[in-house]
Amino acid sequence: MRSRAVKGTYDVLPESTPAWRRLRSTTETVLGRAGVREIVPPIFEYSEIFDKSVGPSADLVVQKEMYRFEDRGGRSLTLRPEFTAGVLRAYVEHGMHTRPTPVKLWSFGPAFRAENVQRGRFRQFHQINCELLGAPGPLVDAEAIALLHDLLQALGLPDLVVALGSVGDPEDREAYNAYLREALEPREHELSDTSRERLRLNPMRVLDSKDEGDQRLVADLDTPLDRLGDAARAHLDGVAAFLDAWGIAYELAPSLVRGLDYYRRTAFEIHAQGIGAQSALAGGGRYDGLVESLGGPPTPGIGWALGVERVLDALQEAGAAPAADAGPAVFLVPMDAVAVGEAAALARRLRTDVHVEHAYTERKPGKGLRDADRAGARYAALRGAREREAGVWTLKHLASGDQREIPEAAMSAAVLEVPA
Ligand code: HAM
């Protein structure tokens, strides 16, 4: 992506916006064909929405990654660090549980996390988010994963492999966390600071540490998958069976734990090569129970979010980024003062059919042709006193140099012609 990281966020320059538009329109197509409908939640919410959802051991909380401020009435507001909480808040507030299930919702927009900035990690970034609410079985988990896979594939990312894991049911998690505490507490002093904190709040998250010492310590321990209860195990097998049947490549990821606390059972991520250490393009999982904690009726749910900047970076690496916008069909070159107004007026008329640009001041022919070339135009059309008298424009095809005179009334048809 030809954008620059500035203070932890991105300027998306005009050269890069075609890629953004394509990502959005492909999402509309792929998700729309599966009946997923767009929802546009607000960018900030009352802070309690996030306090009730992301969980006390989430990095967002522990590492104070949320942007919070008080409004003039003294209420705490938070810029969304993710979409799930806000989408579920809207689902509850608008009684969407009465709609036919699963209720399928997608969103696109910015999210904010006060993180240490590096490649693929920004303080303002964008997500495409998808939630499927109201269906408990593994079929809908597999559908969520398939939609993400199909979307990334439709964009042109080759060789995608889904990392599929399970964090178990709440009682499995509790038992596994107790096991980890017992195993790791005696060796606590060997853990990194972050992992010591995680051991206290949610031991499972130690598995997610990038620290090599931590990794060595946990290498021989049982994984969450080794200790799944029967129900969670059957659920995971069910998801895997659908993915097998649909030919979606996945690898079981026994130690996959996500950075947010609300997950139950299915958890998954998709990673890409060649985009640096922040290689997760997307992640998600099942979060039964979360709608209740936001004040709604018992509602199972599963969803995912993809990082727009990371996906665009991966597309660039794969040579699959779309071409820049095409230039104008014609660039009008006024060769005297009167023609400046004529060019602007003709441009307005032609723009009902085609992309037209023009010089805003009088130009010598050579300079005008260079301007047309820089704009990426197919044709340049020149107008001076001679052309005015004859009621024509001199139309030059820039690639071949072919030139002819075209009556003003025939310009629209002439510039639409693409010579062989
Ligand atoms: P997440 O794994 O925190 O999940 O974020 C999803 C994706 O957003 C990541 O895989 C990554 O591509 C991108 N991302 C996250 N943080 C940053 C950042 N600082 N800079 C750039 N990209 C970033 C969620 O947000 C969950 N709400 C997903 C979900 C939806 N689960 C269920 N429903």
Side-chain angles (χ1 to χ4, degrees):
M1 196 158 59
R2 230 178 300 165
S3 309
R4 280 179 309 129
V6 178
K7 295 183 183 136
T9 181
Y10 257 88
D11 290 317
V12 185
L13 302 180
E15 295 82 345
S16 297
T17 44
W20 281 65
R21 282 201 306 273
R22 196 185 58 163
L23 181 47
R24 216 198 124 91
S25 65
T26 309
T27 303
E28 278 170 24
T29 307
V30 173
L31 299 188
R33 285 180 184 167
V36 188
R37 297 172 67 197
E38 186 175 5
I39 181 169
V40 186
I43 288 174
F44 59 76
E45 299 273 352
Y46 287 124
S47 296
E48 55 262 28
I49 301 299
F50 300 106
D51 293 340
K52 283 181 193 160
S53 61
V54 297
S57 81
D59 292 344
L60 295 173
V61 174
V62 179
Q63 291 173 32
K64 302 195 172 47
E65 286 175 359
M66 285 192 269
Y67 286 105
R68 289 219 147 145
F69 58 98
E70 277 190 4
D71 67 9
R72 280 193 275 179
R75 291 212 51 177
S76 175
L77 300 170
T78 297
L79 291 180
R80 67 179 172 215
E82 55 117 42
F83 281 73
T84 309
V87 171
L88 268 49
R89 194 261 320 133
Y91 174 89
V92 172
E93 198 169 311
H94 301 286
M96 292 173 81
H97 61 278
T98 58
R99 300 184 183 204
T101 54
V103 175
K104 308 181 192 181
L105 302 166
W106 74 270
S107 308
F108 174 95
F112 305 84
R113 298 183 189 180
E115 304 202 80
N116 290 324
V117 174
Q118 52 177 287
R119 184 174 182 189
R121 177 175 280 175
F122 310 103
R123 292 195 276 258
Q124 173 174 334
F125 58 101
H126 294 74
Q127 285 188 335
I128 288 173
N129 185 80
C130 175
E131 311 292 356
L132 310 180
L133 287 141
L139 173 59
V140 74
D141 301 41
E143 180 176 38
I145 293 169
L147 287 172
L148 171 61
H149 175 273
D150 294 350
L151 170 57
L152 293 173
Q153 196 162 58
L155 286 165
L157 282 176
D159 310 325
L160 296 168
V161 180
V162 179
L164 176 66
S166 174
V167 294
D169 280 309
E171 54 277 19
D172 305 336
R173 281 177 76 149
E174 230 165 85
Y176 184 69
N177 277 337
Y179 158 76
L180 277 187
R181 267 197 199 97
E182 199 170 307
L184 291 175
E185 269 169 5
R187 309 186 66 178
E188 208 184 315
H189 56 283
E190 296 173 56
L191 287 170
S192 67
D193 291 348
T194 319
S195 287
R196 257 201 307 280
E197 176 89 358
R198 286 175 173 175
L199 185 61
R200 200 169 57 77
L201 290 167
N202 181 7
M204 218 176 204
R205 292 273 295 133
V206 175
L207 302 180
D208 209 25
S209 169
K210 303 241 164 17
D211 182 277
E212 281 179 20
D214 294 347
Q215 279 302 329
R216 267 196 304 277
L217 277 183
V218 299
D220 296 328
L221 300 179
D222 283 358
T223 66
L225 281 202
D226 294 325
R227 291 181 170 237
L228 282 188
D230 292 343
R233 161 63 59 189
H235 192 97
L236 178 63
D237 291 346
V239 178
F242 283 117
L243 296 181
D244 284 334
W246 301 343
I248 292 177
Y250 66 90
E251 272 169 7
L252 281 182
S255 299
L256 182 70
V257 276
R258 308 256 310 122
L260 294 152
D261 289 354
Y262 49 61
Y263 293 108
R264 288 190 190 176
R265 298 193 177 181
T266 311
F268 57 93
E269 288 179 350
I270 292 186
H271 289 255
Q273 306 292 321
I275 60 163
Q278 302 306 312
S279 64
L281 295 181
R286 178 165 279 283
Y287 48 75
D288 302 352
L290 185 54
V291 174
E292 284 107 297
S293 32
L294 291 165
T299 311
I302 180 155
W304 49 258
L306 68 76
V308 170
E309 288 80 0
R310 289 191 197 172
V311 168
L312 295 182
D313 196 1
L315 284 169
Q316 188 93 5
E317 286 294 325
D325 284 330
V330 63
F331 188 95
L332 307 177
V333 180
M335 296 190 292
D336 61 24
V338 179
V340 172
E342 291 172 338
L346 176 62
R348 283 197 65 228
R349 284 203 300 283
L350 295 181
R351 281 173 186 163
T352 55
D353 300 315
V354 284
H355 174 176
V356 182
E357 296 183 28
H358 60 82
Y360 288 81
T361 51
E362 198 178 324
R363 287 279 191 274
K364 295 219 161 45
K367 173 90 172 65
L369 290 172
R370 269 200 305 281
D371 290 347
D373 205 42
R374 280 196 76 183
R378 185 187 308 143
Y379 290 100
L382 299 98
R383 174 96 154 181
R386 196 179 55 78
E387 284 87 359
R388 182 171 311 110
E389 207 146 291
V392 298
W393 289 73
T394 298
L395 188 68
K396 185 175 176 117
H397 182 245
L398 290 172
S400 64
D402 290 349
Q403 190 168 310
R404 56 209 164 110
E405 290 187 347
I406 304 287
E408 177 148 327
M411 280 289 280
S412 181
V415 302
L416 280 169
E417 260 174 49
V418 184

